[in-house]
Amino acid sequence: MGLLYVVPGFLGRDPWRSDDLASFGVMWSLALGQSDWWSPSLLGEPAVSAGWLPYWLGALAIQWLFFLPADLAAKVPFGLLLTLTLTSTWYGVFHLARLPGAQPVLFAFGGEAHPIDYARATADAAFLALVASLGVVMLAHETTVDAARLAFVALAFHAAARILSPFVRSHGKTVMLWSIAAFGLAWSGVPGLALALGLLAMAPILVAKGLRLGLLGAASSIPTWVWITGLATTVLAAGSAVSVGADWHPHPWSWSSWLHMEDWQRWGRLLLWFTWPTGLLALWAMWTWRRHWQSAHWFIPVTWAGLLLLLSWLDGGRDRTLLLAMPMLATLAAFSLSTLRRSVSAWLDWFSVLFFTGGALIIWVIWMAMMTGVPAQPAANVAKLAPFFTPSWQPVLFLPALLMTLGWLGVIVWRLGRHRPAIWKSLVLSASGFTLCWVLLMTLWLPLLNHGMGQVSISSRVATQIPSGQCVVVQGLSHAQIAGLLYHAELAMVRETQPDATQCHWLITVGGSPAGRTPGIDRAQWQLVERIPRLRENRETWLLYQRLP
């Protein structure tokens, strides 16, 4: 399931609009030597998302994997980072579930689960909960700073669980993992978050050792050099990033915008759909395990998730900050399964069967409409929403979709059968159904989504209007739009504020009235040549100007 979840979304998918394409444009500029490695930028303007390490990883992958297309090469390290996210979450939950406070109640006459078997099953449940989370899949498959931050947060969570586990003997490996996570976060643009997570992980150990409290179980038995080294490494990582220009937090915080009821409602809707169904299970776990608040399996995920939820709230409800809390919410969701009633588990199963089967059916029907024109209404809707798109039969995309659908039917049959009970069975259908829909979207709908959310189509249409070798001035274009033109259209571009702009005979901007009157365009110097709609005429339109003699 890990392979089926990670690989689709990296293979065959073009960089899509917004942060995904903008970040790739910065990596592409670094790889070509058009940007300074210590100040990643695009056409001289700093990158939208702060951080060095993710851009370096993408640029180095483009240079080293020169035999691959640049956009595919840039995805390789981020595919490994997503694998690191899933793996670190599994191992973090495994170590926490082995703690005495997390173990199930012993039966009077024996027969309870073995501690290691229980820990593995709980870790499997956390893996499935993270895969089944609605808001994770798209952001985690992007080549962005946020995807890298997610991986390093999960790695830090794994290291913190190892530090607090009395069964771990290799403390050197623990310190190494924590150091990688701390430096990864700091050099991904969030040194303040690295320091905050370090304090949350190390401060309870200091309290337990100094006051001889039972906080976090065996925290007082942890060697002193382990937590001192971890805390010192965190401070060093944060300080090194700040010393070369990183902000403690890359986004301005504002309390005033959160005093209105509509902002709270929007925040509540984001929490509900982004964390579904993991968020609800996490809330249940917080309540049912509340008497074990001193145990690390409750304290660490709750405090870390609370900090990240607060940061997302201060960021104005950014889903990309909320993304970082998902490994901890998945951990809490896994610990909730042992306390769920059988009726609730059955309700989750039936909801997953109906919801994801219906979603897969809709994807198949619309694909059939694109291919054959039947049913007529979905085919007409696709033609209206995505003009200039010509569907084509591609067996390499059809066969994985068919096999995945048959596999989904097999999972349903398995779940309805009588098998040895497992704690993670309630999440099998949710994770499998979500993976099914994700694979279908990344196979059957991939050409359509690339056309609608990528910029290959609009960039190629712009390139056909400009003679080869001519430079182009860009005005008012976002980083994603500029990156699409640089990579897909291979245009020589400069910003209007750069000195070379006076030597260019073409100008591209976005917007304007139907008459082509765009603010900031000197009509005495530029003549409108072409209006190029990205998709539909009443939506985003690109304007191409030529310099007057």
Side-chain angles (χ1 to χ4, degrees):
M1 182 171 291
L3 289 175
L4 292 175
Y5 181 80
V6 173
V7 174
F10 287 117
L11 287 180
R13 185 178 67 83
D14 295 333
W16 287 352
R17 302 177 65 203
S18 190
D19 289 10
D20 190 21
L21 186 53
S23 298
F24 169 72
V26 176
M27 299 171 193
W28 176 243
S29 297
L30 287 173
L32 296 180
Q34 299 174 355
S35 174
D36 184 6
W37 285 73
W38 287 102
S39 57
S41 60
L42 187 62
L43 288 187
E45 188 171 293
V48 176
S49 298
W52 296 280
L53 184 58
Y55 298 118
W56 293 349
L57 292 176
L60 291 174
I62 293 173
Q63 291 181 343
W64 294 346
L65 303 177
F66 56 89
F67 50 88
L68 294 177
D71 58 334
L72 178 58
K75 294 174 184 176
V76 172
F78 289 88
L80 297 176
L81 287 174
L82 179 54
T83 303
L84 177 63
T85 300
L86 298 174
T87 305
S88 298
T89 302
W90 193 96
Y91 276 104
V93 177
F94 173 77
H95 289 299
L96 293 180
R98 290 188 66 188
L99 297 176
Q103 290 291 315
V105 178
L106 299 179
F107 298 155
F109 301 99
E112 66 277 353
H114 190 274
I116 293 183
D117 293 337
Y118 172 78
R120 288 173 176 168
T122 306
D124 291 341
F127 174 91
L128 294 173
L130 188 59
V131 168
S133 301
L134 184 59
V136 174
V137 60
M138 189 62 251
L139 299 182
H141 281 84
E142 292 181 344
T143 55
T144 60
V145 171
D146 305 288
R149 292 171 183 172
L150 173 65
F152 292 124
V153 167
L155 183 60
F157 172 68
H158 173 200
R162 285 180 59 93
I163 290 175
L164 298 171
S165 175
F167 305 103
V168 173
R169 303 304 179 195
S170 178
H171 293 296
K173 180 180 178 181
T174 302
V175 173
M176 181 190 67
L177 292 176
W178 180 265
S179 301
I180 295 175
F183 276 93
L185 281 175
W187 286 78
S188 294
V190 282
L193 177 61
L195 187 59
L197 294 181
L199 292 176
L200 281 178
M202 307 302 173
I205 302 176
L206 180 61
V207 172
K209 295 179 74 68
L211 301 181
R212 302 300 178 186
L213 298 179
L215 188 62
L216 302 190
S220 58
S221 63
I222 299 173
T224 303
W225 72 269
V226 174
W227 62 266
I228 290 182
T229 304
L231 190 57
T233 303
T234 306
V235 174
L236 178 62
S240 65
V242 173
S243 65
V244 294
D247 294 328
W248 286 105
H249 195 271
H251 304 286
W253 292 343
S254 174
W255 296 87
S256 60
S257 62
W258 287 94
L259 301 178
H260 305 288
M261 181 59 66
E262 57 269 18
D263 295 321
W264 285 101
Q265 293 174 350
R266 179 169 55 86
W267 173 239
R269 289 193 297 268
L270 174 65
L271 287 178
L272 181 61
W273 74 261
F274 193 93
T275 64
W276 177 268
T278 303
L280 296 179
L281 295 175
L283 287 175
W284 178 251
M286 291 174 59
W287 173 255
T288 55
W289 289 89
R290 65 191 183 279
R291 300 182 186 277
H292 298 75
W293 67 271
Q294 291 182 323
S295 179
H297 81 281
W298 191 97
F299 185 85
I300 290 295
V302 169
T303 54
W304 283 34
L307 171 65
L308 291 165
L309 289 174
L310 176 63
L311 292 180
S312 178
W313 180 74
L314 292 174
D315 282 347
R318 290 186 78 245
D319 54 354
R320 295 180 178 274
T321 307
L322 179 59
L323 171 70
L324 306 183
M326 294 310 299
M328 280 61 71
L329 295 180
T331 300
L332 293 172
F335 284 111
S336 74
L337 297 182
S338 60
T339 63
L340 286 181
R341 296 180 179 178
R342 183 173 299 180
S343 59
V344 177
S345 300
W347 179 85
L348 286 175
D349 289 342
W350 281 111
F351 175 83
S352 300
V353 169
L354 296 177
F355 181 80
F356 291 112
T357 301
L361 182 62
I362 292 173
I363 296 173
W364 274 105
V365 168
I366 295 179
W367 178 81
M368 289 292 295
M370 286 192 294
M371 293 294 106
T372 65
V374 179
Q377 189 58 47
N381 292 338
V382 172
K384 179 181 178 181
L385 295 174
F388 311 108
F389 173 69
T390 304
S392 60
W393 165 261
Q394 300 185 37
V396 70
L397 298 179
F398 171 78
L399 291 178
L402 179 61
L403 293 176
M404 192 66 188
T405 305
L406 296 176
W408 167 246
L409 298 178
V411 170
I412 294 177
V413 172
W414 171 86
R415 184 62 182 90
L416 296 178
R418 294 183 177 274
H419 302 279
R420 182 179 178 181
I423 194 174
W424 41 260
K425 288 184 69 174
S426 299
L427 287 171
V428 167
L429 288 175
S430 295
S432 300
F434 192 83
T435 304
L436 164 71
C437 293
W438 174 243
V439 172
L440 293 183
L441 289 174
M442 293 296 103
T443 52
L444 299 178
W445 281 27
L446 184 60
L448 175 64
L449 294 175
N450 280 337
H451 176 83
M453 302 183 68
Q455 284 196 184
V456 176
S457 176
I458 182 65
S459 298
S460 60
R461 281 182 280 147
V462 170
T464 57
Q465 302 291 329
I466 300 175
S468 177
Q470 295 283 329
C471 69
V472 182
V473 179
V474 294
Q475 176 178 309
L477 268 63
S478 66
H479 278 210
Q481 294 165 338
I482 293 174
L485 291 173
L486 282 174
Y487 180 65
H488 299 305
E490 299 181 354
L491 297 177
M493 305 172 65
V494 296
R495 295 187 183 275
E496 59 176 338
T497 56
Q498 295 176 333
D500 296 340
T502 58
Q503 306 300 321
C504 296
H505 297 282
W506 297 89
L507 181 145
I508 297 177
T509 187
V510 174
S513 63
R517 301 186 182 279
T518 304
I521 300 296
D522 187 355
R523 307 291 291 183
Q525 296 187 32
W526 299 99
Q527 177 184 3
L528 180 64
V529 175
E530 189 74 25
R531 293 176 54 85
I532 308 174
R534 196 183 72 84
L535 289 176
R536 290 175 287 168
E537 291 286 350
N538 61 342
R539 301 296 292 273
E540 179 184 302
T541 301
W542 295 40
L543 305 178
L544 180 62
Y545 289 87
Q546 186 175 15
R547 190 183 297 274
L548 293 172

